Each structure stands twice: as structure tokens, then as C-alpha cells.
Amino acid sequence: MNIGEIARRAGVSRSTVSYALSGKRPVSEDTRRKIQQVVDELGYQPSASARALANGRTSTLGLVFPPAGNHYTGMQLDFIGSVVEAAAACDYDVLLSPSGVDSDRSFQRLLGERRVDGAILMEIRLEDDRVEHLAALDFPSVAIGRTARPEGGWWVGLDHTALVEACVHHLADLGHRRVAFVNRPEQLLRAGYESAHRGLDGFTKAAAERGLTVRTYCCGDDAASGQSCVQRILHDDPATTALVTLNEAALGGLYRGLAQAGRHVPRDFSVTGVVASRWAETVTPQLTAADVPAAELGRLAVDLLVERLDHPDAPPRHHLLTPPISLRASTGPAGATPSADAGPGTTPP
């Protein structure tokens, strides 16, 4: 079934059918109704490629994310899922494209062949050549995260500095004086991932304001790394009574490491951080955390990109979110460091 057959059955020209379907030129209401009746009877669906040729739009958004390595974290998958769902609600499909040293050809094909109308970038770095490249091309894009110079850009993000500061102040208010920070993997910190750097800045600043004794650690995105990280923390300073983490993928391992060391959460060790609520609620006791609103971030990114596509001359806009800390069960007043014969620790998740 094609436009020619619809025109024949409706008794109009092919161009009239095309104008009626695309809305590019006005068509009388009677003619439009006659054409729509034939379309409904035949169940006609214009092909995506034909629409793209006709109006210069693919109705597809690109989602550019980092290669997974061994796996994607739960938070990364939450972001991907939220973007796909929000795009579908706006009648857009999503084309996924990895972006990294070994996959730049995929990124270039996405742009060079105009497979998408615009792009959403994940896992932003402070110095991010993808953002700069798209800006130089004037290619519509929105970032989930901020570069070192976010002025004049389209982006949505979390204020990791303020969120980690809030976590530190929460622990200090509970009387904790020796606190550790569990960050993302070292290679991501070296690569300039903005969440890792801004989170570290917030931790350092708040700890200095409260006069705390602190240590900072990079940790792999998996439970085994989390367990090893706790061993290092307690080896380096056995008097540590709390930690703040940005690493939701290591959260289960952090809890297991504390249980193995005989540290009960929250009786004699408190844990908090910046984690999506559904991950914070999977551990026992549930994590007191600044909940990452992944669904909202994905929706806002799609909304901004669609706005940019529909209004190319609109001034740049952004959203910086600072969700409050959700008080659950993993933090409590600082207590004495447990003795070697301490009872059972945290229940492993």
C-alpha cells in the first residue's frame, strides 16, 4: 500500500495525499477527511525512511554512552531505560551508540549519516570532546552531566558537590569524626568523569569545614571491589566509623565487607551516599542516601532535546537537580569502635 493507491481510492492527486499526511500545505477539511477515511480503511503506515526523506527528520534520537567493559552498572541501565521510555512518550525511537576509544566510528556514523535528529550524551567528563564536537557542528544535543564550562550548553545534571557535602554534614551532625569516601573506579577519575570529580570536591570541602579526619578511595564498579575497599579502609584507619559513597555498583560489597569485619550498621558504622532509591532500598539496612532521580533526569534530557529540535533558535537551557537526603536506616550516632570479639555485623544484602 502506498500514496498512489490512497490517491486513486480517494479520487485526489498524489501530491494532495502527501500534503494531507505531512501537513506541509493546507488541504480542505472535506478532502483531508476523505483521505483519512481511506488511510484508516487500509491501515496505511508511512515508512520511517519515507518520512525522513520528506521532512528531513528521522524521529529518532541518539543515546551516546560509554562502552560497558565488563558490565553496565544499575544506575547506567536506569538512565538508558529512562531515556528510551521518555523518548517513546514523545513518539521518538532511540538509537544506542557507544562512545570510546574503540568505538568512535559508531559515534561518527551517527553524526555523519544523520541517522538521528539529535543526541543525548551520558557519563560526561569535565573536558568532553564529544560535547565540543557536537557544538562545533551545531548538532542538536543534550548532556546528562556538566563539563567544566557548562555555560551556554543544553544539559541536565545532579549537583554532586552539594549532595556529597550534605552527606558529610549529616554524618558530622551524628558525631562521626573519621570518615571515608568511596568514589568511582580510578580510571574514571583519571578520565575526568565529572560526577567523580565533583563528588570528591564536595567531600573534601565539607570535611574541611567540619574538621574531620578523612581518607578517599577509588573503587571498582562491582561488589568484590566494594568488599576489598572496606578492608583497605579499616586497615588504614580502624577508627573509621562512617563512609560516603558514589558507587552504587559496589554497595553490596561495602555492606558485606563491614559484616565480615564485625561492624554493625548503623550501631557502630554508618553508610550513606548518592545512589538511586531502588538500589538504596535493596540493601539491609536500607541506605540513607541522596536519591538519584534517574527517571526524571532521562525525561528532562529528552524534553530539552525535543524542545531544541522544535525550536532551533531557543536559548540554551539546563536543569541542575539537588534531591534531599532520604533518611533510612544505615546511619546513626557515632559509637565506640567495636572490639575484636564484636557480635554479628551488618546483614549481607
Side-chain angles (χ1 to χ4, degrees):
M1 187 55 56
N2 55 40
I3 285 180
E5 180 62 17
I6 293 172
R8 186 184 70 78
R9 296 195 184 200
V12 298
S13 68
R14 291 171 58 94
S15 60
T16 299
V17 174
S18 178
Y19 297 150
L21 295 178
S22 67
K24 283 192 171 183
R25 294 188 184 180
V27 174
S28 72
E29 182 60 27
D30 286 344
T31 300
R32 189 199 64 77
R33 190 180 299 114
K34 186 190 303 181
I35 291 170
Q36 188 61 50
Q37 183 177 351
V38 174
V39 167
D40 292 342
E41 289 173 354
L42 299 177
Y44 173 74
Q45 291 287 338
S47 73
S49 57
R51 287 199 307 267
L53 287 172
N55 60 25
R57 298 276 285 266
T58 66
S59 295
T60 303
L61 306 179
L63 178 58
V64 183
F65 56 93
N70 293 329
H71 67 282
Y72 290 110
T73 70
M75 193 174 293
Q76 287 172 326
L77 293 174
D78 284 348
F79 278 126
I80 292 171
S82 70
V83 167
V84 171
E85 290 179 7
C90 295
D91 205 24
Y92 278 88
D93 296 322
V94 175
L95 179 62
L96 303 181
S97 173
S99 175
V101 175
D102 299 324
S103 54
D104 283 342
R105 283 181 297 178
S106 171
F107 183 51
Q108 293 303 327
R109 283 197 303 272
L110 196 73
L111 306 180
E113 298 176 13
R114 285 282 171 166
R115 296 183 176 187
V116 297
D117 298 327
I120 294 173
L121 307 178
M122 285 177 55
E123 301 283 8
I124 296 300
R125 304 175 185 186
L126 293 175
E127 302 294 334
D128 201 308
D129 56 0
R130 301 171 303 166
V131 175
E132 296 171 1
H133 184 56
L134 292 175
L137 294 175
D138 198 25
F139 189 89
S141 66
V142 171
I144 299 180
R146 294 174 291 160
T147 65
R149 294 170 294 280
E151 305 83 6
W154 292 75
W155 52 269
V156 299
L158 286 179
D159 191 341
H160 286 92
T161 301
L163 295 179
V164 172
E165 284 181 9
C167 291
V168 173
H169 288 303
H170 171 64
L171 293 174
D173 289 343
L174 290 170
H176 295 278
R177 310 303 303 164
R178 308 180 83 85
V179 181
F181 181 57
V182 179
N183 207 335
R184 298 292 301 282
E186 183 178 355
Q187 63 268 30
L188 299 189
L189 196 66
R190 288 200 307 265
Y193 272 50
E194 71 104 5
S195 58
H197 277 270
R198 288 198 164 103
L200 179 59
D201 290 344
F203 181 80
T204 304
K205 178 174 179 289
E209 289 176 0
R210 302 301 291 264
L212 306 182
T213 299
V214 299
R215 292 176 184 268
T216 62
Y217 298 83
C218 288
C219 179
D221 286 334
D222 58 84
S225 296
Q227 192 164 348
S228 298
C229 189
V230 166
Q231 293 172 356
R232 283 186 286 145
I233 290 170
L234 298 180
H235 174 270
D236 293 344
D237 184 2
T240 302
T241 61
L243 67 82
V244 179
T245 184
L246 286 178
N247 195 325
E248 115 275 345
L251 187 58
L254 297 175
Y255 269 59
R256 283 196 288 273
L258 290 168
Q260 187 178 48
R263 301 296 177 98
H264 186 281
V265 176
R267 187 180 65 217
D268 46 42
F269 202 101
S270 290
V271 183
T272 186
V274 183
V275 176
S277 60
R278 77 182 189 93
W279 299 102
E281 293 169 356
T282 61
V283 291
T284 303
Q286 293 187 1
L287 185 74
T288 290
D291 296 336
V292 176
E296 183 179 5
L297 285 167
R299 177 183 58 78
L300 289 173
V302 171
D303 287 348
L304 283 184
L305 184 53
V306 171
E307 177 184 340
R308 188 172 184 183
L309 292 171
D310 291 343
H311 306 283
D313 297 327
R317 295 207 303 119
H318 65 265
H319 299 282
L320 182 63
L321 306 183
T322 310
I325 291 180
S326 296
L327 297 176
R328 297 188 179 93
S330 66
T331 54
T337 303
S339 61
D341 59 352
T346 303
T347 302

